[in-house]
Structure formats: structure tokens, C-alpha cells
Amino acid sequence: MARGTLRIYLGAAPGVGKTYAMLSEAHRRVERGTDCVVAFVEHHHRPRTEVMLHGLEQLPRREIEYRGGTFTEMDVDAVLRRAPKVALVDELAHTNMPGSRNTKRWRDVEELLAAGIDVISTVNIQHLESLGDVVESITGVRQRETVPDEVVRRADQIELVDMSPQALRRRMAHGNIYKPDKVDAALSNYFRPGNLTALRELALLWVADRVDAHLTEYRSEHHVSAIWGSRERIVVGLTGGPEGRTLIRRAARLAEKGAGGEVMAVYISRSDGLTAVSPKELALQRTLVEDLGGTFHQVVGDDIPAALLDFARGVNATQIVLGVSRRRSWQYVFGPGVGATVARESGPDLDVHLITHAEVGKGRGLPVARGARLGRSRVISGWLAGVLGPLLLTWLLKSVVPDIGLANHMLLFLTLTVAAALLGGLLPALASAVVGSTLLNWFFTPPVHTLTVADPQNIVAIVVFVGVAVAVASVVDLAARRTHQAARLRAESEILSFLSGNVLRGETGLEDLLERVRETFGMESVALLERAGEKDPWTCAGSVGPRPATTPDAADVDVPVGDHTALSLCGRVLPAADRRVLAAFAAQAAVVVDRRRLKGEADRAEELAEGNRIRTALLAAVSHDLRTPLAGIKAAVTSLRSDDVEWSEEDQAELLEAIEEGADRLDHLVGNLLDMSRLQTGTVTPIIRETDLDEVVPMALGAVPEDTVDLDVPESLPMVGVDRGLLERSVANIVENAVKYSPPGERVLVSASAMADRVEIRVVDRGPGVPDEVKDRIFEPFQRYGDAPRGDGVGLGLAVARGFAEAIGGTLHAEDTPGGGLTMVLAVRTAPGRRRERPDVSPAVTS
């Protein structure tokens, strides 16, 4: 079943007339005979809008009980059962009541579209997800109901419902939007002229960017070359903090200002295992960036600025978006920070944006555990505190502080040992205990300057001191290890969730999965190797990164999957703890390869089924369409050879003409069958030459009556690079098809015009036309649209025309003729560097 189309009326503010325009479109379609129903429209007691509902079929709503009240929502099941051609669904960004089928109305619309129902909907610009922060800064109101930009951007048609702020305020003052008791408050708050002007500008810019995207898509499809514009690729540096969502939205707006912009969010994690900062927050940010059309990446690196710049240069980024540091003022004594370092080292090829946010200066602490082993700096600090600290303390106690007693000396040394344990873990604390106990014994325990202890109580005190130091160090080390293990488990669960979601749903290709492995484990290259048998050589099913391993033995890490598949990683040797997650990646990579192989087999089966369908259609054509002209020729010849009838000269001429027409028709049918056979077998070899269209197109009109075609091919057109024979056959089939479906007395127009590096040949008829959903199907072999009588052909003309057009590097598609009918547009490339000289004309003629 074909997917339905989505049309959206986009407005800058409430009351501009989106719902009214939607209902007007519904009345227009109903008058044309389209099955159109109202699935859900909220008129908000506006008289003009409420009147527009009259005459339209309204489906019943679903009633939901919630907290003692009764609310109505769109009944998706009722719409699916009714299965109209077009359904009207108001307020696309609406959040459904708890207990509804879906949480958001745009998800309801997705179900209707998947069922083949066309949907017309409305949305305001302030409800787009990426503009939430901007709208709040303008109006002071945070929009709780939002819709992902990608949902609106995927719409087949977006119509901007525009109105000047002055006109909208007049409509408000006249009571056409809100009740009279709410008008004054609305005019003085949300509907201020400045607010409306800013929202209107946002809507216009957003729609203009979408038009640019459509233009780029059109130029790509039609191979229109022009000046290359720079593609903005924006990298967003994430820390796992709550400011990441603000950065992602700002980057999305920057990307939308240029056609083809791309947002890539990246989180840099440490290389000492599978660590992650605030997995819940990162998951939310991953979802947000994907909703906004971007991608999320996780990269391993100890030097965060260097890793971020390496990633940005590796993906050819043009801009980097970072948040202003959350560190407090005194923390800058430890260094300039990531933002300043990236800005200093980015060079002239990268623009760095530092974005302010609500978390600036609130400290770098996160609401979850850091989840990492003790870092190198902490270990060094622990050793310094454990070894040099007791020496410094001894000097202070001997030279600066008077004798304070052995008990106090031991407490001070114990404090240093605890500090060493907290900073560096077990080993620095043990070293501190050994050094501290030795110094206590030598300098402060009688007899001093010897390692003997005279008082047994002092021996007990020193033993207790060492025991407490070891216990505290063990507890700190155990806590650090447990914290690290918890962080690993969180990271592993996140990765396994990714595998069970994206991969099993088929949303991730093999290369994407291998790239995720490379990023997660910080490897240089990853390859999936497979072989048919034990003695067969290894082959690469897919790889990412430079110099991937060609055999499992050549890799730094090798994870076998079954007997004949292995995941090979190059870069560094991974700890055994990482192999559990790596094995899951390897198993899923094998699943992706199997799925790809099965898809290839399914495609081949589909090709075989298509071949069987064509052979069946060919047999039907031979049994009927080819036998019909043969039967006419046979009957005419039999009549001429008959001795029982004396034929007049007029009768003989008529019979001979019938024989000639039948032979011509038979020749045309056989020619199309042979042409389609050449296209199906790939034996069409075009000979591209510089050609004048005014020499080829007239030759293609020989098979149609002269009074049925108007020809308009200017001599000033540039020369084209085509195969003359294939172009002539393509144009001939298009013109014959147009003449066949044109009403009696209506002439077909064949015109040509130049556009950039293309020349378009347009064949315009005034026939019945073709609906949009059939326009692509009419180019398939053995397809005849409408009630074309049998014997008029086997439905190969347009299929052959498109096949020949594509063989010479051109395109052929169908458009509606304004006023009714069908226009075939055949576009071919101009000859490189050649353009026909314009004939000299006098100034009088040109004026």
C-alpha cells in the first residue's frame, strides 16, 4: 500500500487562519469528488471557522476519562476503519491525554499516513522543537507542546499562512480569535507587535530554508550543475550536562540557515574503559539530536580538546559549537578550559561558537557518579601526599611547631595517610603508612633517632596507626573499583540497548555498526571477516578506518562469531572486561550481514518474479495484441485472393490500405518488444554525438498525422550530447502516446527550451491526464492507464521512451498540464563547451 501524503498549513501565531485555510481546501476537494472527512478539527468557538465545518463529514471523537473529567481526542481506529482518501487533523503538535493510543498527535498522523490516508494538518512555528528556546526568549512563554522539525520537514507540501502583525491584532480586537474578556490581556502580552513580527520572521525563514532544500533536491535529481555552495557541517561538543540540549538546538538553527546543513553531536569519553557521564542525560540528548535530523557520536580520548578537533577535522566540519564552561571562577587556575583551548587551536578552517546557557558558573559537578577509575593526576597527587607529605610534616613538627605529644603526631600522620588514600588509592596509602610509621618511630617515639620502641604502649599505637591506614586505603580503593564497575555496567547496558533497538529493527547498516564499535573502543580500524570453509581465504564483508585487518591473526583484537566469521580490530589490545560487549557487537554484525544477504536474495527473487510477470504479459501481448493486426492482414489478403467477389478499384485500395496499416502496427509492436528486450538485457549501447534538436525532433513525428502536432523547437537552442537514434525513438513514442490520448481536434504541442546545462523537450497534450499516484506506474512495461482499447499497443511505448532517455543520460517524467492534460518532460544534457551561435539579426528585428 502506498504511503499517504502530508500537507501542512504553517502559521506564525494563533489566529492567522490555518484551520480556516485547511477547511477551505477540504471544501474544494469535496466539490471535486474527493472522499474527505474531518478526523479532528478544533474551532475554538470561532464563528467563521465553525461555519466552515458545515457540509463536511465529521468522524466521532474518542472520549477519555482523566482525573474526574471527560476529554475528547481523535479516534485513530475510527479513521482507519473509515479509510477516507483525505483526513483533516488539526494541531499536529498536540499532546494526547493519558490513555490515548499515542502520546503525540503527530504519531497518530504517522499511522494514518502509513495506512495510505492523505492527511492535511496545521502547526504554528513556535511548536517546532528546534525553535523552543528562541520562542521563549521572544515571548517569555515556554511551548510545552512541540513536534520534531523532521516530522514537519518530511511533509509533501507546506503552505505558509501569513498575516501582518497589524492585521492579526485587528482580527484579535474584533473578537475573531479569543473571547472579549481575553482580548486585552492577549494584545498586551503574547500578541504584541514585536512578538508577532519576530515570530513571522521565524516562519518566513524556516519556509525559505525548506524551499532551498527542495531546490537542491530538484537540481540533484535533474543533474543541474551550478556554483557549489559550502555545506555547513556543525559539530556540537557535549559533556553530558543539561546544557547539551541548548547547544543542540542552537546548532540545529545554525545548520538550517544554510542549505544542506548537518549537525553532529559528539561526546568525548576517557580511554580507561567503557565510561559514560550521565547516561540518562546523554540518551535524552541523543534522541533530541536525532529528532532534529542530526547524528550522535561517542569518541574515546584522554585529551578532550585534541580529540574534539580531530573528530571535527575528520568529518570535514566547518563549525564547532561549545557551551561556556560550567567551572567556577577559581577553577580557571588549573587551565583555560576546553572551550578556550579549542578556539585557540582550531585554526582558520574552523569557526568555534561559545554558547551561554543557564548552567554557566554553577560548577562542573554532575548529579551522577563520575564512574571512572582514579585518574593519573589523582594517583600522582596520592603518591606525593603519601611520600613527600610525611617528610614535610616531620620538618614542620621539628622546626616550626613545638612538641605537641606523640598522640597528636600520630593523628597528623594518619590524616596524611587518609588523604593519600582518598587521592591515590591503596598503594599510595600503604606507602604513606610505611613512611609515616618510620618517621614517627625515628623522630618522635622514645628513644628518638633509633628504630627501637621503649614503651609497649607506643608499639600498640604504631600498630593501630598502620592498621587504620591500611583499612582506610582498602575501603577507598574498593569504593573506586565498585564505582568503576557500576559505570561500566551503565555503559554496557546503554550499548546493549542500542544493539537491541536500532540493529534488531534493521535501522543500522553494517558500516554504521562497525563505526560505532570503532568509536566506542577507540580503535583505528574495524573489519568483519568471513570465509566459506575452513580452508578458504578470508574475505572482508565490511570495514571502517584505515588499514583494516585482512585476517584475524593480523588484528590486535579478534572476536570469532561461529566457525567462519570474525570481528577484527586494530589499534590497541583491549582488556578482557571489554570483550563481553565486543562479543555482542560481533554477533549483531553477523546478523546484519545475514540480513543483507537475505535482502539480496529477496531482491533477486523479486527480479525473477518481475521477469515472470513480463513474460506472462508478453505471452498475452503475442496472443492478442500481435494477432489482431495479423488477423486483419490475413482477412484482407484472403479477400483479395478470393475469386468469388469482383472487387472494385476503391475496394482493392481500401483492402491494401488495411494491409499496410496492419503491417505498420505490427512493425511498431515488434519494434517496441525488441527495444524493451534490449533494455532488459542491457545491450543498449548509445553513441553520444553533438546534435541539433531541430534536426532530430521533426524526424520523430513521421508516424503521426501532420495536423495533430504543433512543433516549437527554436534554432537558437544549444547543441545536445545524445544518441540521435535513441532520442528519436524516445520522442516518437512520447508523441504517439500523446496523440493517442488527445481529444479529437486538439493538437499536441512539442516544444523545447534550455535550462542551465540541460535542454527540456516538453510534449503537451489536453487529454484526460493521469493522477499523481499513477504517474510513475505508467512508465512500467505492459502498463496502459485508463480504458485504452485492446489492440492499441502492449503498453511499452513510455517504458521504452524512459529507458532510451536514461541510456543517453537524460530523464523523463510526467507533469500535469495546466488546464487539464499531461505533459511529458524529456531532459537531456547539452554538449560540453558547445553552444549554437546565435544568427546575426539587425537591431530593428531585435527591438
Side-chain angles (χ1 to χ4, degrees):
M1 177 183 296
R3 180 179 172 85
T5 60
L6 175 61
R7 178 172 183 173
I8 294 179
Y9 286 92
L10 177 68
V16 295
K18 303 180 302 300
T19 305
Y20 190 93
M22 178 179 67
L23 295 174
S24 299
E25 174 64 17
H27 281 286
R28 187 179 69 84
R29 297 198 181 195
V30 169
E31 290 173 0
R32 292 189 310 178
T34 304
D35 183 16
C36 183
V37 302
V38 177
F40 188 98
V41 169
E42 189 63 64
H43 55 74
H44 297 291
H45 303 289
R46 296 169 185 168
R48 296 179 182 272
T49 305
E50 193 171 359
V51 169
M52 293 296 295
L53 287 170
H54 297 166
L56 297 176
E57 178 184 354
Q58 301 185 48
L59 297 181
R61 301 183 182 183
R62 180 187 177 189
E63 294 186 354
I64 299 177
E65 301 288 339
Y66 182 69
R67 293 184 178 180
T70 302
F71 305 87
T72 60
E73 297 285 2
M74 180 176 67
D75 193 337
V76 179
D77 292 327
V79 181
L80 294 176
R81 286 194 301 269
R82 174 62 174 78
K85 174 62 179 175
V86 181
L88 272 60
V89 182
D90 205 4
E91 298 179 354
L92 186 64
H94 172 73
T95 301
N96 294 329
M97 295 298 299
S100 300
R101 184 189 188 97
N102 296 299
T103 57
K104 302 289 289 187
R105 184 165 293 164
W106 64 265
R107 296 189 182 275
D108 296 337
V109 169
E110 287 291 326
E111 287 196 36
L112 301 183
L113 295 174
I117 300 174
D118 296 343
V119 176
I120 304 178
S121 187
T122 64
V123 70
N124 282 331
I125 193 67
Q126 62 263 33
H127 293 298
L128 297 182
E129 178 69 43
S130 67
L131 300 178
D133 294 345
V134 178
V135 173
E136 182 178 9
S137 64
I138 294 172
T139 64
V141 178
R142 181 67 180 181
Q143 297 296 330
R144 301 300 178 186
E145 295 187 331
T146 59
V147 58
D149 292 44
E150 190 61 24
V151 174
V152 181
R153 196 177 289 113
R154 287 199 306 262
D156 300 273
Q157 184 175 353
I158 296 179
E159 183 171 334
L160 178 64
V161 183
D162 191 22
M163 178 176 291
S164 67
Q166 294 76 14
L168 183 58
R169 285 173 58 84
R170 283 197 301 270
R171 177 180 288 185
M172 172 73 70
H174 293 162
N176 295 331
I177 301 178
Y178 293 153
K179 295 181 179 179
D181 57 339
K182 298 181 179 181
V183 170
D184 291 337
L187 289 176
S188 58
N189 291 285
Y190 193 93
F191 286 81
R192 294 195 302 267
N195 290 357
L196 298 178
T197 301
L199 293 174
R200 187 188 188 198
E201 182 182 14
L202 283 178
L204 292 172
L205 289 174
W206 195 91
V207 174
D209 289 342
R210 188 177 185 275
V211 171
D212 288 340
H214 274 285
L215 180 59
T216 302
E217 181 181 355
Y218 175 84
R219 294 164 69 88
S220 176
E221 291 177 352
H222 295 272
H223 307 286
V224 179
S225 61
I227 299 175
W228 286 88
S230 60
R231 177 183 176 88
E232 293 292 345
R233 184 175 280 112
I234 303 174
V235 171
V236 184
L238 301 179
T239 65
E243 77 280 359
R245 283 171 278 181
T246 301
L247 303 183
I248 292 171
R249 293 191 182 98
R250 181 60 181 273
R253 295 198 297 273
L254 288 174
E256 289 179 354
K257 292 183 181 299
E262 182 180 356
V263 176
M264 307 177 73
V266 58
Y267 167 67
I268 310 295
S269 60
R270 299 287 183 181
S271 61
D272 52 353
L274 295 172
T275 60
V277 176
S278 184
K280 181 178 179 180
E281 182 65 30
L282 281 180
L284 293 175
Q285 293 173 16
R286 177 194 293 271
T287 302
L288 175 61
V289 72
E290 290 175 352
D291 287 343
L292 295 176
T295 56
F296 182 90
H297 303 267
Q298 185 169 337
V299 177
V300 176
D302 292 320
D303 188 343
I304 294 179
L308 183 60
L309 288 172
D310 289 343
F311 176 83
R313 294 191 176 102
V315 298
N316 295 322
T318 58
Q319 302 181 55
I320 297 179
V321 173
L322 299 174
V324 175
S325 177
R326 288 181 284 117
R327 296 190 299 176
R328 302 184 188 279
S329 301
W330 61 269
Q331 292 177 309
Y332 282 96
V333 299
F334 299 106
V338 173
T341 304
V342 171
R344 184 181 66 249
E345 299 179 0
S346 61
D349 56 338
L350 275 173
D351 294 335
V352 180
H353 301 267
L354 293 179
I355 308 301
T356 59
H357 49 83
E359 303 298 320
V360 173
K362 292 185 177 180
R364 303 181 63 180
L366 294 173
V368 297
R370 293 180 58 87
R373 286 193 182 100
L374 299 176
R376 180 181 302 176
S377 60
R378 285 189 59 180
V379 173
I380 294 175
S381 301
W383 280 103
L384 292 176
V387 177
L388 298 182
L391 296 175
L392 180 61
L393 179 61
T394 300
W395 177 79
L396 290 174
L397 292 176
K398 296 296 293 183
S399 61
V400 178
V401 182
D403 187 13
I404 59 175
L406 179 61
N408 291 327
H409 293 160
M410 296 183 65
L411 288 175
L412 291 175
F413 277 97
L414 181 61
T415 302
L416 278 179
T417 302
V418 172
L422 293 174
L423 290 173
L426 180 61
L427 293 180
L430 292 178
S432 177
V434 172
V435 174
S437 61
T438 302
L439 293 175
L440 275 172
N441 190 2
W442 183 267
F443 287 103
F444 303 105
T445 305
V448 297
H449 304 303
T450 64
L451 294 180
T452 59
V453 180
D455 189 351
Q457 294 182 355
N458 294 337
I459 297 177
V460 174
I462 293 176
V463 172
V464 171
F465 166 76
V466 175
V468 171
V470 172
V472 171
S474 300
V475 170
V476 171
D477 185 73
L478 180 63
R481 292 178 184 274
R482 292 292 183 264
T483 301
H484 173 67
Q485 292 174 0
R488 287 186 59 85
L489 292 176
R490 282 200 304 269
E492 289 180 6
S493 64
E494 179 187 356
I495 293 172
L496 294 176
S497 175
F498 162 79
L499 291 175
S500 63
N502 298 51
V503 178
L504 295 182
R505 288 195 302 268
E507 298 176 357
T508 300
L510 178 60
E511 285 70 22
D512 295 333
L513 181 62
L514 297 180
E515 182 64 27
R516 180 67 185 266
V517 175
R518 190 176 72 88
E519 293 177 354
T520 300
F521 295 96
M523 307 300 288
E524 292 182 0
S525 63
V526 180
L528 185 68
L529 306 177
E530 58 180 0
R531 60 181 178 179
E534 293 291 341
K535 298 182 179 180
D536 294 316
W538 290 95
T539 59
C540 182
S543 65
V544 294
R547 299 179 298 279
T550 56
T551 62
D553 296 336
D556 295 319
V557 181
D558 170 33
V559 181
V561 185
D563 296 330
H564 307 302
T565 307
L567 184 66
S568 302
L569 296 84
C570 296
R572 63 189 177 95
V573 178
L574 293 178
D578 289 346
R579 288 183 172 268
R580 179 174 54 183
V581 177
L582 193 57
F585 270 111
Q588 293 304 331
V591 170
V592 171
V593 172
D594 291 339
R595 184 187 297 117
R596 187 169 63 180
R597 185 179 296 111
L598 292 174
K599 185 178 184 301
E601 294 176 358
D603 293 340
R604 288 192 292 273
E606 186 177 353
E607 292 177 0
L608 293 175
E610 179 66 16
N612 290 332
R613 188 186 70 81
I614 292 178
R615 282 191 289 272
T616 303
L618 180 58
L619 290 175
V622 172
S623 64
H624 187 282
D625 295 293
L626 295 181
R627 292 180 62 183
T628 299
L630 282 176
I633 295 173
K634 175 69 174 177
V637 172
T638 302
S639 299
L640 289 174
R641 290 174 57 97
S642 175
D643 298 332
D644 300 336
V645 180
E646 186 69 26
W647 300 102
S648 64
E649 293 182 359
E650 292 80 3
D651 293 336
Q652 292 181 5
E654 185 176 350
L655 290 173
L656 291 173
E657 183 180 358
I659 294 173
E660 184 178 10
E661 290 179 354
D664 290 340
R665 184 187 305 172
L666 190 61
D667 178 71
H668 180 71
L669 294 175
V670 172
N672 275 339
L673 288 173
L674 292 176
D675 289 339
M676 180 52 60
S677 176
R678 293 168 60 198
L679 291 170
Q680 292 286 342
T681 57
T683 58
V684 177
T685 305
I687 302 175
I688 305 300
R689 297 176 180 174
E690 296 179 351
T691 304
D692 292 332
L693 283 183
D694 57 355
E695 296 178 0
V696 178
V697 176
M699 300 294 295
L701 308 182
V704 297
E706 294 182 359
D707 59 346
T708 59
V709 177
D710 288 332
L711 185 61
D712 180 17
V713 181
E715 295 183 357
S716 59
L717 288 176
M719 301 182 73
V720 294
V722 296
D723 184 301
R724 299 186 182 188
L726 297 183
L727 178 61
E728 180 181 339
R729 292 284 297 135
S730 182
V731 175
N733 282 356
I734 298 171
V735 173
E736 291 174 13
N737 182 79
V739 171
K740 180 194 305 183
Y741 287 98
S742 291
E746 290 286 348
R747 300 166 70 94
V748 173
L749 173 62
V750 181
S751 63
S753 59
M755 185 186 70
D757 59 350
R758 313 279 289 178
V759 173
E760 289 188 349
I761 304 172
R762 308 180 75 88
V763 181
V764 184
D765 68 61
R766 294 293 179 178
V770 174
D772 293 338
E773 59 269 17
V774 186
K775 283 187 172 62
D776 284 334
R777 198 161 65 240
I778 61 177
F779 293 103
E780 297 177 2
F782 303 103
Q783 295 291 326
R784 296 187 301 177
Y785 175 72
D787 56 354
R790 300 287 295 180
D792 276 5
V794 294
L796 287 176
L798 293 181
V800 170
R802 171 174 275 189
F804 283 168
E806 293 176 349
I808 61 178
T811 59
L812 176 62
H813 67 277
E815 297 178 353
D816 291 329
T817 301
L822 191 68
T823 298
M824 292 289 178
V825 182
L826 173 61
V828 293
R829 295 192 184 98
T830 58
R834 292 295 303 273
R835 189 174 185 89
R836 176 178 294 186
E837 296 294 335
R838 186 178 181 89
D840 293 334
V841 293
S842 64
V845 175
T846 58
S847 62

